[in-house]
Amino acid sequence: MIVLGISALYHDSAAAIVKDNEIIAAAQEERFTRKKHDNSIPVNAINYCLRTAGITMMDVDDVVYYDNPLLTLDRFIHSVSSLGSDSKYLVENKFEGLIRSRLYVDKLIRNEFGIIGKNDTLNVCEHHVSHAASAFYPSPFESAAILTIDGVGEWATTTIGHGKGNDIEIIEEIDYPHSLGLLYSAFTSFCGFKVNSGDYKFMGLAPYGESKYYNLIKDNIIDIKDDGSYRLNLDFFDFHKGPKMTNQRMAELFDGPAREQESKITKREMDIAASVQKITEEIVENLAKHALEITGENNLVMAGGVALNCVANGKLIKNGIVKNIWVQPAAGDAGCALGCALYSIYGNNKVDRVVNNSDSQKGSYLGPNFSDNEIKKYLEESGYIYHEYNDKQSLYFDTAKMMVEDKVIGWSQGRMEYGPRALGNRSIIGNPMSKKMQSVLNLKIKYRESFRPFAPSVLKEKCKDYFELDIESPYMLLCADVQKNRRCEFDKDYLMSKYSEDMLPIVNIARSDIPAVTHVDYSARIQTVSDDTNPEYYGLIRAFEELSGCGVVINTSFNVRGEPIVCTPNDAYKCFMRTEMDVLVLGNYMLLKEEQPVYHDKSDWRTEYALD
C-alpha cells in the first residue's frame, strides 16, 4: 500500500509518502522553491517523494489532501452570515485564497501531474484528524491521548482524541473562532512580529519579561475553565472579520498601539509575551490533564502549531502532568501531509501498525540527501576550494577544533530534516561556552534580533549532566532548566530595568557555564542526540567533548533570517558566503571561508527574503 499525503494552499505546503509501515520521504515545498512558508501545490516536494520511493504518480494507491474544503466552505458561509454587513472584507479578500482554490485542489494537482494516483482520485482527511494521525501513528505508543491545538482547521481549533492500535477517535472539540493558536498569533502580531513565522520570536521574548498582564488578559480577553476549554472575547480581535489580528480595543487595554515591525522592543512587549506564555502553559496543562483523564491513558501525543511551544511542552514534564510524551516534529501544517497519509494507511486501509520502541519517524531525517560524489562534482564544477576527508573521525576532530576556537560552522550532512527544526543535518553549530556566541550568531550570521535564543544539542547519555530533564528530546520540542550547579547568578530584574531599551548587554551576560544556549530564566530548548539516529552529528559532538570537556554544542537552523533552511549544497554554499560563517562542512568536504574565491552575488540577497 503506497499513499501520498499533501498539504497545500494555506501555509507550509508539504508532501509525504508512506509505504505500508515505512515512512519513505517527507519534505516542505519551501525548501525547494526557497520561498518561506510556500503555500503552493508542492510540486517539487511531491516529485522528490515519488523519486525517493522509486515510483511515478501512476503507482500511488491513494492520494490524500490534509483538509476537507467543503467543511472550510461551511465555516466561511457561517462566518459571512453571522457578520452580516461586517462581512465585506471576508467576501472580497478571503474567498479566493481560502476557499476557491481548495475546492479545486484536485484539478490543480491533476494539471501538474496529469493524474492523481492510479485511481485518478483525491481523497480528503479532516485537518485535525491529519494532525492527530501525525502525532499518534509514528509515536512509540500502542495507545495514547491525542492533543491537537492550532489556529484553525475546517472548524476545529483544539481537539482531544484517543489513539489505540489502528484507530483514532476525536472525543472533544473547541471550534472557531475560539482558538488558542489564533490568540497566540494575535499577540504575536500585536507585539510587532509576523504571524506564522514570528511566533518563535514571541516565545523567545517571554523569558525577558514578567507576566504582569496575566490577570488583565484573563479578566478581559479569555475565559479558561479547569478542563482547559476556553472562550475568547471577540471584542478585542479582528481576525474573524478584517485584515488585522487585533483592533483598537486591544490597544486601549495595553495603553498604546501595536508595535510596528522592526521598531524597538520595549518592556511592554516583553511583559505581554511572558503573560501570554503563562496563559498558554495553563491551558495546555489543563487540556493535557483532561485528555489523560477522559482517555484513561498514561501516554500523551501532541500536534498542531501550538505543540511547537517547547516551553509549554516542557512544563508538562516538569510539573508531573505526564511521564510519557511524544510531539510530532513537524507539528504545524506541513506535518499534516504525513498525518493524512498515515491515516489512509492505518485508519482507512487497516494496514497492521507496528509500534517501535522509539518511534517510526527516523529522526525526522526524511528529506533529500546528496552523496559525496554529487557534492564533489558540485564543488569542482563551481571552482570552490575544499578539503576532502576519507576518515570521518578526522573530519569530526578538525571541525571540533575550530569550534573550540569559537569559529562558526555550517554543517550539512545526510537527509534534510522534515519540520521547522534543524536537527543536526542542516545546522549552524558553535561553541556553547562562549559568552558572546548568541549575539554573534544572531547579528553576524542569522542577521536577526540579538535576543533570539539558540538550542543546545547534547549527547543523549549526558543530558542529565547539563539539564533537568529525565527523558529524551530528539526533536528539540522540550524546554528544561540548566542544572543548578552550572548556573551563574545575576540580577535579572536590575538588568532588565537598566537595559530595557537594548537587550544586547543582557544577552552577553553569562547565565551558566554554557551561556550561549541558556535563556535568561535558566531554561534551554534541548535536543538529545543519539548515535543510533544520527551517528555523524553524534560523532562531532563527541569529538567536541573530548577536546573541550563539554558534551553540548549550539545548534541553529542553517539559514539567514527570512530564508528557508538550506536543502542543497548550493543553498548551503550561498548562505555560507553571504554571512560571516567561518567553515562549511558538506558531507566529507570542508571549506574554509578565507580560501574561497571572491563570491559575486548577483542579487541583493537581503531583499530576496521577506523578513519573518
Side-chain angles (χ1 to χ4, degrees):
M1 183 76 190
I2 300 174
V3 178
L4 174 68
I6 298 171
S7 66
L9 304 179
Y10 186 46
H11 57 82
D12 292 311
S13 293
I17 199 158
V18 180
K19 182 178 180 181
D20 296 328
N21 277 294
E22 185 181 7
I23 302 170
I24 302 295
Q28 290 128 282
E29 184 70 3
E30 66 167 22
R31 308 294 168 84
F32 303 96
T33 63
R34 313 309 300 154
K35 177 184 176 183
K36 198 162 187 177
H37 303 299
D38 193 335
N39 69 346
S40 61
I41 297 295
V43 175
N44 296 283
I46 291 171
N47 281 327
Y48 156 70
C49 288
L50 295 172
R51 187 167 60 249
T52 303
I55 61 174
T56 69
M57 183 67 87
M58 280 288 294
D59 300 309
V60 178
D61 295 299
D62 191 13
V63 182
V64 191
Y65 185 61
Y66 80 129
D67 194 271
N68 187 329
L70 292 179
L71 290 178
T72 304
L73 176 62
D74 180 60
R75 169 167 61 85
F76 183 84
I77 292 170
H78 275 77
S79 295
V80 169
S81 176
S82 64
L83 288 170
S85 60
D86 289 337
S87 67
K88 182 179 179 181
Y89 177 82
L90 284 185
V91 174
E92 293 181 352
N93 296 278
K94 291 296 184 179
F95 180 79
E96 184 69 26
L98 182 66
I99 305 300
R100 189 174 184 277
S101 58
R102 292 192 188 194
L103 291 173
Y104 298 101
V105 62
D106 57 333
K107 292 184 178 179
L108 296 175
I109 296 171
R110 194 174 289 109
N111 287 344
E112 295 289 349
F113 294 94
I115 194 169
I116 307 176
K118 59 176 60 174
N119 297 317
D120 196 26
T121 301
L122 181 67
N123 290 312
V124 299
C125 182
E126 288 188 29
H127 189 82
H128 269 238
V129 174
S130 296
H131 272 311
S134 78
F136 176 61
Y137 290 130
S139 78
F141 308 133
E142 174 63 32
S143 63
I146 308 170
L147 182 57
T148 296
I149 315 171
D150 64 1
V152 62
E154 299 88 353
W155 274 102
T157 65
T158 301
T159 54
I160 292 173
H162 191 194
K164 194 170 185 178
N166 276 45
D167 299 324
I168 288 175
E169 178 188 7
I170 302 298
I171 301 172
E172 293 185 1
E173 179 176 319
I174 297 172
D175 286 342
Y176 180 88
H178 304 285
S179 166
L180 178 58
L182 290 175
L183 173 79
Y184 204 89
S185 292
F187 276 106
T188 296
S189 175
F190 186 79
C191 288
F193 305 120
K194 285 182 71 173
V195 174
N196 293 327
S197 62
D199 306 71
Y200 306 115
K201 295 188 199 182
F202 191 57
M203 182 174 66
L205 189 64
Y208 292 89
E210 305 169 88
S211 55
K212 61 184 291 185
Y213 297 115
Y214 169 78
N215 288 327
L216 185 72
I217 294 170
K218 288 191 71 173
D219 291 342
N220 293 276
I221 295 175
I222 186 169
D223 178 32
I224 306 171
K225 304 301 183 185
D226 290 342
D227 64 357
S229 60
Y230 55 85
R231 301 281 291 181
L232 299 183
N233 181 353
L234 296 177
D235 291 343
F236 292 88
F237 300 96
D238 203 36
F239 63 76
H240 57 299
K241 61 180 179 181
K244 296 181 179 180
M245 294 297 293
T246 61
N247 59 33
Q248 182 59 31
R249 286 198 64 178
M250 187 75 81
E252 292 169 358
L253 188 65
F254 290 97
D255 301 320
R259 170 182 168 260
E260 294 292 331
Q261 289 189 22
E262 306 307 313
S263 65
K264 273 189 177 181
I265 298 171
T266 69
K267 183 88 166 42
R268 182 188 72 153
E269 283 76 53
M270 300 175 200
D271 292 340
I272 290 174
S275 304
V276 175
Q277 180 62 35
K278 185 176 179 179
I279 293 280
T280 301
E281 291 166 14
E282 178 180 334
I283 292 173
V284 170
E285 284 194 22
N286 289 348
L287 285 168
K289 287 178 186 176
H290 183 59
L292 294 169
E293 180 182 345
I294 64 174
T295 59
E297 290 288 347
N298 295 314
N299 308 318
L300 178 69
V301 298
M302 297 176 64
V306 177
L308 293 170
N309 193 306
C310 53
V311 180
N313 299 343
K315 292 291 178 67
L316 295 177
I317 300 296
K318 182 179 181 179
N319 295 338
I321 307 299
V322 64
K323 290 184 179 180
N324 305 316
I325 187 171
W326 194 85
V327 183
Q328 166 55 239
D333 277 11
C336 286
L338 176 61
C340 65
L342 291 171
Y343 191 76
S344 173
I345 288 279
Y346 297 121
N348 289 336
N349 291 288
K350 303 302 179 184
V351 172
D352 288 338
R353 178 173 174 245
V354 177
V355 180
N356 297 319
N357 290 330
S358 54
D359 63 53
S360 62
Q361 195 140 330
K362 302 180 179 180
S364 215
Y365 305 114
L366 298 169
N369 177 41
F370 299 89
S371 69
D372 281 333
N373 287 338
E374 289 174 306
I375 295 170
K376 187 173 184 178
K377 181 181 179 183
Y378 162 74
L379 294 173
E380 290 189 341
E381 289 181 351
S382 303
Y384 301 145
I385 309 301
Y386 62 87
H387 301 268
E388 183 173 5
Y389 285 79
N390 296 314
D391 174 43
K392 283 284 188 183
Q393 292 301 317
S394 297
L395 175 65
Y396 300 153
F397 274 93
D398 283 357
T399 305
K401 286 176 189 175
M402 296 180 185
M403 293 169 65
V404 171
E405 297 169 1
D406 284 355
K407 292 187 175 177
V408 179
I409 316 295
W411 182 259
S412 180
Q413 303 284 327
R415 296 184 71 175
M416 181 183 67
E417 299 89 341
Y418 176 52
R421 309 286 197 235
L423 300 170
N425 279 11
R426 300 292 188 278
S427 293
I428 296 172
I429 53 178
N431 182 358
M433 297 179 288
S434 169
K435 294 180 181 180
K436 295 185 177 180
M437 188 58 71
Q438 180 179 350
S439 58
V440 167
L441 282 171
N442 271 324
L443 299 176
K444 294 187 176 182
I445 309 298
K446 305 283 282 190
Y447 299 106
R448 66 187 195 183
E449 302 91 343
S450 63
F451 74 87
R452 291 175 69 172
F454 293 103
S457 293
V458 58
L459 298 172
K460 180 181 72 172
E461 65 273 16
K462 297 295 180 71
C463 182
K464 286 197 287 186
D465 293 345
Y466 296 91
F467 308 104
E468 295 178 350
L469 185 66
D470 292 329
I471 66 173
E472 290 186 46
S473 178
Y475 299 118
M476 208 185 291
L477 286 168
L478 297 175
C479 269
D481 291 338
V482 172
Q483 290 286 2
K484 290 183 174 62
N485 64 332
R486 295 190 173 276
R487 300 178 193 175
C488 301
E489 296 298 325
F490 69 103
D491 191 336
K492 175 188 166 185
D493 293 337
Y494 167 74
L495 291 170
M496 290 306 304
S497 62
K498 182 177 180 181
Y499 298 110
S500 61
E501 298 300 318
D502 179 12
M503 284 185 285
L504 191 57
I506 303 169
V507 170
N508 287 333
I509 290 173
R511 280 89 68 185
S512 74
D513 61 0
I514 45 173
V517 295
T518 305
H519 302 170
V520 293
D521 60 356
Y522 297 116
S523 68
R525 176 164 50 98
I526 300 160
Q527 179 198 6
T528 54
V529 181
S530 165
D531 188 29
D532 295 331
T533 306
N534 195 334
E536 288 83 10
Y537 196 36
Y538 182 91
L540 173 64
I541 301 173
R542 281 282 295 164
F544 182 74
E545 182 186 42
E546 288 190 38
L547 294 175
S548 68
C550 180
V552 178
V553 301
I554 295 173
N555 177 10
T556 187
S557 56
F558 198 153
N559 61 337
V560 294
R561 182 182 177 190
E563 178 191 21
I565 295 173
V566 301
C567 176
T568 68
N570 185 52
D571 297 335
Y573 188 85
K574 286 169 67 176
C575 187
F576 169 58
M577 294 303 294
R578 287 169 163 180
T579 67
E580 297 181 49
M581 219 177 299
D582 300 297
V583 181
L584 173 62
V585 181
L586 295 170
N588 286 331
Y589 303 93
M590 178 183 288
L591 293 82
L592 307 179
K593 176 66 69 65
E594 63 269 20
E595 295 179 348
Q596 299 310 304
V598 176
Y599 186 67
H600 298 288
D601 199 343
K602 296 180 181 179
S603 63
D604 182 1
W605 68 270
R606 290 177 189 262
T607 62
E608 184 176 331
Y609 306 118
L611 292 180
D612 58 9

